[in-house]
Amino acid sequence: MAAAPAATEPAPARGNAYMGIGVMAHERTSGTPEAIPPDTRAVWTEGVDVSSHQRDVAWSTLWSSGTRWAYTKATEGTSYQNPYFAQQYGGAYGVGMVRGAYHFATPDSGSGTAQADYFVDHGGGWSGDGRTLPGVLDIEWNPYGAACYGKSTSGMVTWIRDFLNRYKARTGRAAVIYTSTSWWTDCTGGYGGFGTTNPLWVARYASSVGALPAGWSQYTMWQYTSSGATVGDHDRFNGSPDAVREFAVG
């Protein structure tokens, strides 16, 4: 059974979702990470994810603080485009970051295939230039209504598969899946079939990643807080800056 929202608040207008909005609402987390020992931090590379909520981002400040990679929300559903996408996506590149784009999935408003096409056509493509990360499917608690978008677990797996297959056919890269373990368990029934084909970006605001969704034995990225300095949502890549660039190349 899906977790209940932490509070009864009006649903946002369509298009206003961002990476982690459902995690904050459903998983009763403060968004503040616990202290992490310096020797542990050394194995990660700091990143950030942004959407229209951040407007014009202070990329040089983020770079100076050690942030080396970034993801920008490009699209949602089949009708929303981030109006700040050009500044955010280009700004990250301009200061030297490796950057990529993400799509906020709304499986109740269009097929996985249609949403993958919309994403690729509006900023979610990929190139092997060594500075472009593969696209991300942000699939999490529904901020607009039913937690699993009204789909059965098998229906959700089919929807995700359709998106992933279309994205790879269009770009040649396997899309990253961003999700939380609890959402994945509830809404896909703990499906384990994507772990060998698609990198995982896991959301958990704590001092450790915790249990991973079914099918994955390791994560590529971890969203560890929604209350970081400069920009709220901060992330860690599971590897060095060189590993980030290698991941971009594919």
Side-chain angles (χ1 to χ4, degrees), residues 200-212:
L200 172 67
W201 188 348
V202 65
R204 184 170 186 261
Y205 308 144
S207 61
S208 65
V209 174
L212 299 180

Side-chain angles (χ1 to χ4, degrees), residues 48 81 83 105 224:
V48 70
Q81 298 177 57
Y224 69 93

